[in-house]
Amino acid sequence: MFAIRHFSLSMAGAACALTLGIAVPAAAQPSAKETRQAHNVLVDYSTCVADAEPEITRAFVLTDGADAARVDGVKRLFDSRCMGFNHGKLKMEDFLFRGALAQRLIEKTLASDVLDNVADLEALNATYAGGGPAAQGHTLMYRIGECIARADAAGARTLFATRMGSEKEKAAIRALAPVISGCVPAGQEVKIDRARLRFGLATMYYRLAARLTGQGAE
């Protein structure tokens, strides 16, 4: 079983050193509107960065943990010039940032049929670096994301083309619901929020494509 929750993600973060200059009391929970806005700021920022630094972006998307920290020029992904009218700093989880970057790379650099031969590729079974519930949850989303990308690449691309929090995004996820259900490990009840679903899927879609084209890490 699985349930897709409303956006439940706070933009507070792990490995990325950017922060949005809005003070929020520790006990306060962001509203659905605030969370949606934060996610869209993340996407807009990531689009700017990916367009400015495509090679560094690609290397970052293909790596996790300490390997990502060692990507040559990785600090250039944290660029105040891409903040636009969002003054201050942007604070976000690297899992979400990586997925947002991957989404832009998919849009800009990959043909719609790039995963046509994905059945010939062995499972990547990506593991998010680190321990604890968060890392385990990210790993699960990578595994589910890879499964969805393999089963319905066109549906994934339809999702990536939608604005976060929009009715079109909701419709794209509803269309993918049977595939998502089939990708949840047997016997598990998994709560999935739309942001983690979308960005985990984007990361794994890009990694599968990179491996198919001989550009992914072995």
Side-chain angles (χ1 to χ4, degrees), residues 158-176:
T158 298
L159 174 59
F160 302 151
T162 66
R163 188 74 169 167
M164 294 194 71
S166 67
E167 291 303 315
K168 288 183 178 180
E169 182 195 46
K170 295 175 186 177
I173 292 175
R174 283 195 297 269
L176 283 170

Side-chain angles (χ1 to χ4, degrees), residues 29 36 48 55 59 64 71 102-103 120 130 139 144 148 166 169 171 192 208:
Q29 293 295 322
R36 182 170 61 251
C48 175
E55 291 305 313
D64 286 302
V71 168
Q103 182 174 270
D120 299 332
T139 293
I144 292 174
I148 296 168
S166 67
E169 182 195 46
I192 301 173
L208 286 167

Side-chain angles (χ1 to χ4, degrees), residues 32 58 62 70 77 91 104 119 131 133 150 156 169 176 181 197 203:
R58 178 185 167 280
L62 294 176
R70 289 193 289 266
L77 298 183
K91 189 176 183 181
R104 182 57 172 175
R150 287 175 175 273
E169 182 195 46
L176 283 170
S181 182
L197 171 70
T203 297

Side-chain angles (χ1 to χ4, degrees), residues 68-90:
R70 289 193 289 266
V71 168
D72 187 30
V74 69
K75 290 183 178 180
R76 287 157 65 182
L77 298 183
F78 308 117
D79 191 337
S80 60
R81 292 173 299 176
C82 286
M83 285 300 296
F85 294 108
N86 300 294
H87 301 295
K89 298 181 180 179
L90 179 66

